[in-house]
């Protein structure tokens, strides 16, 4: 059942790319109702819950490959769109357009085992598909790196920056335009976050089966800055940093694959590369933030029956000094999606998951301990696959999910949508998901 | 099933012990005279968590805005307070307020919008519980400041019936705008805060009046100017709707009018309002195990309200086994007969002693006035204040339980009026050796000197916590002495020397009193003169004490003071330097 594609992902190797232009895409889209007259909505209460209720997303990949003197150059560009669909929200809405991948990589530069790249890149390893989550390494930077790939080994080194359009990193303040009427937006805060990463992987391959072990480390640094408040007073933003270490063990065979992830992070790295430290210590630094994560993913099965599994347990506390903050919690989810292949292009599937979060903090509305949990049962009575296997895509599917919310989950979720104050939330929809020749490979 | 999965999921790791339940009630006070209260404006004391610093003034200079203080900040400095020696914290109101009004912020907490939820600037319920628990762990108690007189500016009077809060200019030209004979022909009325009208604020147009103006609750989420909560308070009949007090000498206005700033006056004479207020504040006793309430703006509530409210609170505590829960009120700047009203018929256990503040602290100590005034004040009160405790209240009579203070959040600090640290020490010494329950306003121990509100609500952090400063050490030593000598806490007070002299006479500025229990007697002698060393004798008359002739009194304070021997007639000649104090006992 496990597709060749998945094996390719796990091995980490890069299939030979064609010369000249080629194209790829990842996308998902769907229509859903909550059976109460409203749209189907997500009922996740953990950071990375079931992906079945995700909003539409599209990546359009354009590549150009060329080989010169045994060096294979490849330009990768990925345009991503998310958010509004005009056929849903009307023709005056605009999707969010993002330029994600935009890099050039050369393989076999100087040495057959050496690759170099530079540019903007989604730079990441293996995911837990059911949660759309990369539990070990998932960086989005502009920078560069190298891959060293002697037999059975891969060493990936990378350094990059980001400068988010957020008052944590960037600010402009209107000032009178010198010598003329009007104003100019004077840049008063403009600081980059530097991120470096290293990943060492050892592969043990035995025919179509194999195993790998990866060690991973990541460092984040940001310099000082000055924030200007609306009343024109200023505040010094201190420099900050963070670190992350982790590991992954994986096995694969024609019967399936399994991965185990573990990582721990401190400071800026605990929040993630594109997140600002929204809670900080008295010194306005993120040094006291902590994250620990243990996760797993697996896909196992035969020609007719298979199952995708995902689970993680995560402890996170933001850098705030209080013991009882909502940003100090344990969370976890366990999820399984069995699929029965009835014909080469038709399957039925289901999904069962339980997710919860536990914190000492009290819900500000109910004044009770804020430990929401959600139990979900999903039936996918019609799955039309255009490629065989659990991960065969493109795929059309009918999805019905019943989410059973704890009282704390109802309280939490209803802050964002009053309709989520019910015990049971329904989701009935039709979805499409595809990937082909995607940049994620 | 779900629980089993949850158990498997978290492997027990998620079982984090927390403050998720009401704490077990504790009764830590034996005798409130043993307590020394330390008054904290939470927003100003210490910023323990910058993540709740929403909309704060980052400069520390705009004291009309939030500064960032919170419950966690107090927790982080409990050791400082414990080291100082105070035993009870009085914290400013904690409930959710209107965020801002007329460019001022509700940092002080007296603009209630929601009686049942916390002001998010200060922290969450778990942290509040932690604060009280940490205090109790140190045998410190926590008194919560509450408001029953009014809520924030939550509605406007729709005087011109147009549905929006206007500044209305109306008039008929016949001199009777808004039905007030003698008024100007044109009236200018702010619908959020119109003048007092004994009939209730009237709606009116240029054609004349139209009866009671309807009120319209605001709905401005950005500044939390929202309808009252819980929802039962969003009832127009629960408010007096008579407009803002304009004549502070009119008793009706004082009780029924809105407090300036558009703070809407609750109809506290209505039984359902009384029940509701007792209910919401009982909730906070249960939620955090407070040890008492300081009640704001008591003067603006009819005294009878407290017979009902206090009884309900006391019964609630009795049912939970919590004892000695104190209820004391602010009868701001009121004369003794008016303050005393609020302690009669079991209404309140005590009041803040504004007469002590004005007559003793301001007139006598700051101004080096005749100390005879102190004796007169103390001697005049027995006839006004009950001599027996309120039923179900603390075990002290109102006469024994005055909450005495030098300054507070509504008055200029001592050092602003009298920029003399020796004078401050003089006043502190008096406060901490006389009877009643002393109350120290935060920062007094660090010689803060802010003027009137808001200058008297200084940001105390980050540098305010100097445990080696001169005034800290002085206050600390007096608190230790009060703790050591039982008569200074529980003893009867008997004035043995006072004087009309405040010039260059030999006894100018002197005041002496004994504090005595059946087992022990202590003599305290002060000199409020700024310049002159004086003694307890004048024109051949000498101070007489209750000590037996020949008794040698040793100086308990300050250290190294000279002994005093009682002469054969029981007289004692005690010499005290300018602004000095002597505490003597055998």
């Amino acid at each position: 059942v496990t597709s060749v594609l998945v094996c390719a992902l796990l091995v980490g190797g890069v299939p030979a790319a064609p010369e000249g232009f080629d194209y790829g895409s990842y996308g998902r889209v769907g229509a859903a109702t909550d059976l109460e007259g409203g749209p189907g909505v997500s009922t996740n209460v953990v950071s990375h819950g079931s992906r079945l209720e995700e909003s539409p997303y599209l990546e359009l990949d354009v590549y150009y490959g060329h080989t010169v003197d045994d060096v294979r150059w490849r330009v990768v560009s990925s345009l991503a769109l998310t958010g509004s669909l005009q056929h849903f929200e009307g023709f005056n809405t605009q999707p969010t357009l993002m330029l994600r991948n935009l890099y050039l990589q050369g393989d076999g530069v100087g040495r057959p085992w050496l690759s170099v790249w530079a540019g903007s890149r989604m730079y990441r390893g293996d995911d837990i598909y059911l949660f759309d989550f990369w539990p070990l390494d998932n960086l989005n930077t502009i920078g560069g790196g190298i891959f060293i790939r002697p037999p059975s080994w891969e060493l990936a080194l990378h350094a990059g920056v980001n400068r988010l359009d957020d008052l944590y990193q960037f600010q402009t303040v209107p000032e009178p335009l010198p010598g003329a009427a009007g104003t100019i937006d004077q840049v008063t805060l403009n600081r980059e976050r530097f991120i470096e990463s290293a990943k060492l992987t050892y592969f043990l391959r035995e025919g179509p089966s194999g195993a790998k072990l990866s060690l991973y480390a990541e460092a984040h640094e940001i310099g000082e800055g000055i924030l200007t408040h609306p009343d024109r007073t200023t505040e010094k933003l201190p420099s900050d940093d963070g670190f992350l270490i982790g590991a992954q063990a994986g096995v694969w065979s024609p019967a399936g694959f399994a991965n185990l992830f573990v990582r721990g992070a401190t400071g800026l790295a605990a929040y993630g590369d594109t997140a600002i430290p929204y809670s900080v210590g008295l010194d306005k630094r993120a040094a006291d933030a902590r994250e620990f994560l243990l996760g797993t993913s697996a896909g196992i099965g035969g020609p007719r029956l298979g199952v995708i599994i995902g689970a993680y347990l995560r402890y996170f506390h933001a850098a705030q000094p209080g013991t009882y903050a909502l940003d100090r919690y344990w969370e976890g989810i366990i999820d399984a999606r069995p699929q029965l292949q009835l014909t080469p292009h038709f399957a039925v599937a289901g999904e069962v998951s339980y997710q919860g979060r536990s914190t000492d903090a009290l819900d500000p509305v109910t004044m009770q301990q804020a430990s929401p949990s959600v139990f979900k049962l999903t039936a996918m009575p019609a799955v039309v696959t255009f490629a065989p296997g659990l991960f065969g895509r493109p795929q059309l599917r009918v999805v019905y999910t019943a989410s059973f919310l704890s009282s704390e989950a109802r309280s939490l979720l209803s802050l964002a949508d009053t309709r989520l104050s019910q015990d049971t939330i329904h989701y009935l929809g039709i979805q499409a998901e595809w990937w082909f020749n995607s940049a994620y490979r | 099933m779900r629980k089993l999965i949850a158990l498997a999921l978290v492997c027990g790791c998620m079982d984090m012990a927390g403050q998720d339940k009401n704490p077990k009630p504790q009764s830590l006070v034996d005798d409130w005279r043993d307590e020394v209260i330390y008054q904290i404006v939470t927003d100003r004391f210490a910023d323990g968590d910058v993540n709740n610093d929403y909309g704060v003034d980052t400069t520390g200079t705009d004291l009309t805005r939030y500064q960032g203080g919170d419950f966690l900040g107090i927790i982080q400095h409990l050791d400082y307070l414990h080291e100082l020696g105070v035993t009870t914290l009085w914290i400013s109101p904690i409930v959710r307020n209107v965020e801002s009004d007329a460019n001022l912020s509700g940092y002080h907490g007296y603009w209630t919008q929601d009686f049942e939820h916390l002001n998010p600037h200060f922290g969450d319920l778990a942290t509040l519980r932690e604060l009280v628990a940490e205090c109790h762990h140190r045998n410190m108690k926590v008194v919560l400041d509450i408001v029953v007189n009014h809520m924030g500016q939550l509605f406007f009077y729709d005087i011109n019936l147009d549905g929006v809060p206007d500044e209305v200019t109306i008039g008929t030209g016949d001199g009777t705008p808004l039905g007030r004979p003698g008024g100007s022909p044109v009236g200018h009325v702010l619908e959020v805060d119109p003048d007092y009208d004994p009939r209730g604020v009237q709606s009116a147009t240029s054609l004349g009046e139209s009866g009671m103006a309807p009120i319209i609750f605001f709905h401005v989420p950005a500044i939390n100017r929202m309808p009252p909560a819980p929802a039962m308070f969003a009832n127009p009949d629960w408010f007096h709707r008579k407009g803002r007090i304009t004549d502070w000498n009119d008793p009706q206005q004082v009780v029924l009018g809105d407090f300036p700033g558009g703070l809407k006056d609750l109809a506290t004479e209505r039984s359902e309002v009384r029940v509701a207020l007792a209910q919401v504040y009982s909730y906070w006793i249960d939620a955090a195990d407070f040890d008492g309430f300081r009640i704001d703006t008591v003067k603006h509530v009819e005294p009878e309200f407290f017979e009902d409210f206090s009884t309900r609170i006391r019964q609630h505590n009795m049912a939970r086994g919590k004892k000695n829960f104190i209820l004391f009120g602010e009868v701001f700047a009121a004369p003794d007969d008016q303050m005393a009203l609020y302690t009669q018929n079991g209404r309140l256990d005590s009041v803040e002693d504004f007469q002590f503040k004005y007559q003793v602290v301001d007139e006598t100590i700051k101004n080096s006035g005749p100390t005879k005034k102190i004796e007169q004040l103390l001697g005049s009160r027995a006839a006004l204040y009950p001599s027996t405790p309120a039923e179900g209240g603390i075990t002290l009579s109102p006469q024994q339980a005055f909450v005495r203070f030098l300054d507070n959040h509504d008055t200029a600090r001592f050092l602003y009026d009298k920029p003399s640290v020796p004078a401050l020490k003089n006043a502190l010494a008096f406060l901490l050796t006389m009877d009643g329950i002393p109350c120290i306003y935060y920062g007094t121990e660090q010689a803060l000197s802010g003027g009137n509100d808001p200058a008297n609500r200084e940001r105390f952090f980050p540098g305010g916590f100097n445990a080696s400063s001169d005034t800290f050490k002085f206050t600390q030593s007096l608190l230790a002495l009060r703790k050591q000598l039982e008569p200074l806490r529980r003893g009867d007070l008997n004035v043995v020397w006072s004087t009309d002299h405040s010039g260059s006479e030999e006894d100018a500025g002197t005041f002496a009193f004994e504090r005595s229990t059946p087992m022990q007697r202590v003599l305290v002698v002060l000199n409020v003169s700024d310049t002159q060393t004086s003694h307890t004798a004048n024109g051949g008359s000498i101070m007489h004490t209750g000590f037996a002739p020949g008794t040698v009194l040793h100086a308990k304070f300050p250290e190294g003071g000279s002994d005093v021997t009682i002469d054969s007639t029981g007289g004692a000649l005690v010499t005290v330097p300018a602004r000095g104090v002597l505490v003597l006992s055998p």
Side-chain angles (χ1 to χ4, degrees):
Chain A
V1 173
T2 307
S3 68
V4 173
L5 170 64
V6 172
C7 285
L9 300 179
L10 292 163
V11 169
V14 179
E19 293 280 306
F21 283 103
D22 65 308
Y23 307 94
S25 178
Y26 168 79
R28 60 173 182 264
V29 63
T33 172
D34 65 358
L35 302 182
E36 303 275 349
V41 292
S42 172
T43 53
N44 292 324
V45 295
V46 294
S47 304
H48 308 281
S50 166
R51 72 183 300 163
L52 281 172
E53 300 150 2
E54 285 185 323
S55 55
Y57 179 78
L58 172 65
E59 276 176 20
L60 297 172
D61 305 310
V62 178
Y63 314 101
Y64 183 79
H66 188 54
T67 303
V68 179
D69 297 335
D70 295 330
V71 176
R72 185 155 49 90
W73 295 100
R74 184 166 173 82
V75 175
V76 178
S77 58
S78 300
L79 198 63
L81 296 96
T82 186
S84 307
L85 290 178
Q86 290 187 333
H87 290 190
F88 186 70
E89 295 186 12
F91 284 87
N92 290 326
T93 61
Q94 296 288 332
T96 302
L97 185 63
M98 297 175 287
L99 189 55
R100 300 199 68 177
N101 281 324
L102 188 64
Y103 67 89
L104 169 64
Q105 177 164 320
D107 299 322
V109 181
R111 294 287 185 276
W113 39 264
L114 180 63
S115 300
V116 299
W117 67 271
S120 171
R121 186 166 189 170
M122 295 186 280
Y123 183 74
R124 54 204 188 186
D126 294 332
D127 69 341
I128 303 177
Y129 167 78
L130 292 177
F131 312 142
D132 197 7
F133 175 39
W134 283 258
L136 179 64
D137 51 339
N138 179 16
L139 293 175
N140 301 272
T141 66
I142 300 174
I146 61 172
F147 295 97
I148 299 171
R149 294 187 176 109
S152 300
W153 289 89
E154 180 182 84
L155 174 63
L157 301 173
H158 145 266
V161 297
N162 70 30
R163 200 277 291 137
L164 306 178
D165 191 9
D166 184 280
L167 291 179
Y168 180 68
Q169 289 182 258
F170 182 72
Q171 183 180 29
T172 63
V173 174
E175 294 288 356
L177 193 58
T183 62
I184 184 172
D185 287 333
Q186 179 76 53
V187 175
T188 55
L189 174 66
N190 195 1
R191 57 177 185 163
E192 290 181 325
R193 180 193 300 206
F194 291 82
I195 302 173
E196 306 84 35
S197 70
K199 186 175 183 181
L200 178 65
T201 303
Y202 175 71
F203 296 97
L204 183 63
R205 296 187 179 93
E206 191 68 43
S209 301
K212 67 177 180 178
L213 179 66
S214 298
L215 302 176
Y216 179 70
E218 197 177 294
H220 297 226
E221 306 90 26
I222 193 168
E224 293 179 352
I226 299 291
L227 179 68
T228 305
H229 293 286
D231 61 4
R232 308 294 290 190
T233 58
T234 58
E235 176 184 352
K236 181 181 174 184
L237 302 177
S239 61
D240 214 338
D241 53 34
F243 307 94
L244 184 157
I245 57 170
Q248 175 185 347
V251 294
W252 66 91
S253 75
F257 71 94
N259 283 312
L260 181 67
F261 309 93
V262 59
R263 78 171 187 179
T266 68
L268 283 181
Y271 294 85
D273 59 334
T274 56
I276 64 165
Y278 45 84
S279 293
V280 292
L282 285 175
D283 57 1
K284 304 282 178 80
R285 298 182 75 243
D288 291 334
R290 297 286 183 276
E291 183 196 39
F292 168 78
L293 185 139
L294 184 64
T296 187
S297 66
I300 307 163
R304 291 180 62 84
L305 182 63
V307 61
I308 307 172
I309 294 169
Y312 75 81
L313 178 66
R314 175 174 178 257
Y315 174 73
F316 177 78
H317 83 245
Q320 83 289 331
T323 308
Y324 302 106
L326 287 165
D327 295 333
R328 181 185 288 249
Y329 56 81
W330 282 94
E331 66 173 9
I333 179 170
I334 184 166
D335 192 356
R337 184 191 292 185
Q339 180 171 311
L340 177 63
Q341 198 75 30
L342 300 177
T343 74
H345 295 295
F346 188 79
V348 293
E351 192 167 315
V352 56
S353 69
Y354 179 78
Q355 57 184 284
R357 178 178 284 196
S358 180
T359 169
D360 272 357
L362 304 186
D363 183 299
V365 176
T366 65
M367 303 282 202
Q368 302 298 313
Q369 199 162 53
S371 298
S373 62
V374 179
F375 178 60
K376 294 189 188 191
L377 276 176
T378 297
M380 289 184 268
V383 178
V384 180
T385 61
F386 298 98
L390 286 170
F391 292 94
R393 299 292 185 279
Q395 187 179 83
L396 297 175
R397 57 197 179 224
V398 174
V399 176
Y400 168 75
T401 299
S403 296
F404 304 99
L405 278 60
S406 69
S407 58
E408 294 95 330
R410 293 196 298 275
S411 169
L412 178 73
L413 295 172
S414 62
L415 287 175
D417 188 337
T418 55
R419 299 167 69 93
L420 294 174
S421 59
Q422 305 166 71
D423 289 351
T424 305
I425 306 296
H426 303 280
Y427 178 103
L428 176 63
I430 183 167
Q431 300 177 343
E433 184 184 38
W434 65 86
W435 59 69
F436 55 86
N437 201 21
S438 170
Y440 170 56
R441 59 191 183 133
Chain B
M1 171 69 175
R2 290 169 62 178
K3 287 184 176 173
L4 279 175
I5 295 172
L7 192 64
L9 180 67
V10 304
C11 307
C13 300
M14 286 168 152
D15 186 20
M16 305 164 83
Q19 301 278 0
D20 61 325
K21 294 181 176 61
N22 286 346
K24 186 181 174 188
Q26 297 192 55
S27 303
L28 298 175
V29 178
D30 183 30
D31 183 322
W32 272 97
R33 293 173 299 182
D34 294 342
E35 303 300 314
V36 178
I37 299 173
Y38 186 88
Q39 183 195 351
I40 287 174
V41 178
T42 300
D43 178 62
R44 302 300 153 93
F45 188 66
D47 188 357
D49 185 354
V50 297
N51 301 291
N52 56 28
D53 289 357
Y54 172 74
V56 303
D57 161 47
T58 56
T59 66
T61 57
D62 184 354
L63 295 177
T64 65
R65 291 168 58 190
Y66 278 97
Q67 296 295 316
D70 48 36
F71 301 141
L72 199 56
I74 301 174
I75 292 171
Q76 289 165 353
H77 293 91
L78 286 179
D79 288 341
Y80 165 87
L81 297 171
H82 198 244
E83 186 179 351
L84 177 63
V86 295
T87 63
T88 294
L89 304 187
W90 153 10
I91 61 171
S92 51
I94 57 173
V95 294
R96 189 151 196 180
N97 269 224
V98 175
E99 193 73 12
S100 64
D101 185 10
N103 286 326
L104 308 173
S105 298
Y107 67 89
H108 40 68
Y110 297 108
W111 296 350
T112 305
Q113 179 269 327
D114 185 341
F115 282 110
E116 290 187 331
H117 286 92
L118 287 172
N119 185 332
H121 287 273
F122 302 149
D124 61 6
L125 178 58
T127 309
L128 175 66
R129 285 174 172 155
E130 184 186 12
L131 167 61
V132 179
E134 285 292 328
C135 285
H136 286 177
H137 177 67
R138 293 167 172 82
N139 197 31
M140 296 169 75
K141 299 85 194 173
V142 184
V143 167
L144 176 65
D145 202 336
I146 67 169
V147 189
V148 295
N149 174 63
H150 58 261
M151 298 187 76
Q153 195 183 95
L154 304 181
F155 64 77
F156 65 95
Y157 299 88
D158 192 17
I159 292 170
N160 62 359
L161 303 175
D162 68 349
V164 294
D166 313 273
E167 292 184 39
V168 187
T169 303
I170 48 180
T172 61
D174 62 1
T176 59
L178 307 180
R180 284 177 295 169
S184 69
V186 177
H188 182 229
V189 180
L190 198 60
E191 285 191 328
V192 295
D193 202 15
D195 288 355
Y196 186 86
D197 187 324
R199 303 166 302 161
V201 173
Q202 299 292 300
S203 61
T205 67
S206 59
L207 298 175
E209 291 186 349
S210 307
M212 282 281 283
I215 64 168
I216 297 179
F217 291 110
F218 287 103
H219 191 101
V220 189
I223 56 170
N224 199 44
R225 184 178 283 177
M226 298 293 286
M232 58 188 169
F233 282 90
N235 179 345
D237 292 339
W238 284 29
F239 296 87
H240 284 128
R241 294 174 288 153
K242 290 179 182 292
R244 175 175 47 88
I245 301 167
T246 54
D247 181 356
W248 294 85
N249 296 314
D250 178 348
Q252 283 247 314
Q253 284 201 36
V254 167
V255 171
L256 302 178
D258 293 339
F259 201 81
L263 308 184
K264 301 305 190 286
D265 200 63
L266 282 162
T268 45
E269 72 281 4
R270 295 178 69 104
S271 60
E272 63 268 38
V273 175
R274 292 179 176 184
V275 170
L277 286 168
Q279 185 179 317
V280 294
Y281 285 124
S282 294
Y283 165 79
W284 287 112
I285 301 173
D286 295 350
D289 196 29
F290 289 108
D291 303 291
F293 286 154
R294 178 269 182 183
I295 307 172
D296 181 65
T297 45
V298 158
K299 187 171 74 174
H300 303 280
V301 180
E302 70 285 357
E304 297 77 16
F305 167 85
F306 294 100
E307 292 169 29
D308 190 311
F309 179 80
S310 299
T311 300
R312 290 179 191 277
I313 295 293
R314 287 166 182 152
Q315 286 175 346
H316 180 82
N317 286 328
M318 204 176 300
R320 299 169 63 252
K322 190 168 180 75
K323 300 171 185 169
N324 252 344
F325 187 95
I326 194 169
L327 295 163
F328 67 92
E330 175 210 32
V331 195
F332 189 86
D336 260 326
D337 56 348
Q338 191 179 5
M339 284 205 295
L341 270 180
Y342 289 91
T343 64
Q344 294 164 1
N345 297 335
R347 288 163 186 159
L348 295 174
D349 296 307
S350 173
V351 289
E352 293 170 60
D353 193 348
F354 276 90
Q355 289 309 312
F356 173 81
K357 153 71 180 164
Y358 291 125
Q359 295 191 41
V360 177
V361 178
D362 290 355
E363 291 183 31
T364 310
I365 299 179
K366 284 180 186 170
N367 294 329
S368 303
T371 58
K372 188 67 79 181
K373 185 152 197 148
I374 304 174
E375 184 174 11
Q376 289 165 352
L377 174 71
L378 299 179
S380 67
R381 301 183 125 179
L384 296 171
Y385 292 88
S387 58
T388 54
E391 187 179 342
I394 62 173
T395 53
L396 303 172
S397 73
Q399 286 185 20
Q400 296 171 299
F402 284 107
V403 176
R404 298 202 162 109
F405 60 98
L406 306 182
D407 45 24
N408 67 20
H409 62 300
D410 286 328
T411 69
R413 287 186 181 272
F414 186 98
L415 286 176
Y416 179 79
D417 292 335
K418 180 73 177 179
S420 159
V421 171
L424 173 65
K425 290 180 175 178
N426 197 223
L428 274 169
F430 192 18
L431 179 73
L432 297 176
T433 53
M434 75 174 304
D435 61 357
I437 306 166
C439 179
I440 298 171
Y441 185 42
Y442 82 93
T444 301
E445 79 280 13
Q446 298 295 350
L448 294 190
S449 58
N452 285 294
D453 173 14
N456 57 347
R457 304 174 183 184
E458 300 94 328
R459 183 196 274 201
F460 200 42
F461 58 93
F465 307 96
N466 179 2
S468 58
S469 73
D470 176 45
T471 41
F472 181 94
K473 289 290 184 189
F474 182 84
T475 310
Q476 183 187 45
S477 60
L478 279 166
L479 288 168
L481 186 71
R482 186 176 175 95
K483 183 178 181 183
Q484 177 197 343
L485 297 176
E486 186 186 19
L488 292 183
R489 291 177 276 119
R490 302 190 184 189
D492 293 336
L493 187 147
N494 180 41
V495 178
V496 294
W497 185 263
S498 65
T499 177
D500 287 320
H501 299 145
S502 56
S504 57
E505 301 86 348
E506 58 184 312
D507 67 338
T510 53
F511 185 73
F513 56 95
E514 292 177 349
R515 302 291 312 277
S516 56
T517 62
M519 303 297 293
Q520 194 178 8
R521 185 186 301 266
V522 175
L523 176 66
V524 181
V525 189
L526 295 116
N527 180 0
V528 301
S529 170
D530 274 326
T531 55
Q532 175 173 296
T533 296
S534 301
H535 57 223
T536 53
N538 184 57
S541 173
I542 190 170
M543 174 177 73
H544 280 76
T545 71
F547 293 102
T551 305
V552 178
L553 303 180
H554 306 289
K556 300 295 183 183
F557 186 90
E559 282 185 18
S562 301
D563 292 348
V564 172
T565 303
I566 306 297
D567 68 18
S568 58
T569 68
L573 182 65
V574 181
T575 301
V576 188
R579 290 297 180 189
V581 60
L582 283 172
V583 181
L584 303 154
S585 77

